[in-house]
Amino acid sequence: MVRVTINENLCKGCGLCVRACPKHIIALSKTKINAKGYHPAEVTDMEACIGCTSCARTCPDVVIRIEKD
């Protein structure tokens, strides 16, 4: 089981993680806006995540955490 946690309050919505995900399961939220005024990234299908950490490694603000059980 893989868990991806994105700190939505610190995410600036740059989209680098969206482009880095090989499974295409990260998107910028269309409904949420954080305190900084950005649409934060969110995982759209946690079950499909393979835990490759591409998203976390490309995040310039280090707001993505990957946990593997």
Side-chain angles (χ1 to χ4, degrees), residues 11-63:
C11 177
K12 65 183 178 193
C14 68
L16 291 175
C17 58
V18 175
R19 289 190 291 281
C21 180
K23 301 297 277 180
H24 308 291
I25 58 167
I26 300 178
L28 296 181
S29 176
K30 292 182 170 122
T31 57
K32 296 178 193 171
I33 296 179
N34 65 16
K36 294 181 177 184
Y38 300 117
H39 291 276
E42 61 186 8
V43 178
T44 59
D45 185 2
M46 193 70 72
E47 297 290 319
C49 181
I50 58 174
C52 69
T53 72
S54 290
C55 58
R57 287 184 283 128
T58 60
C59 180
D61 298 311
V62 195
V63 301

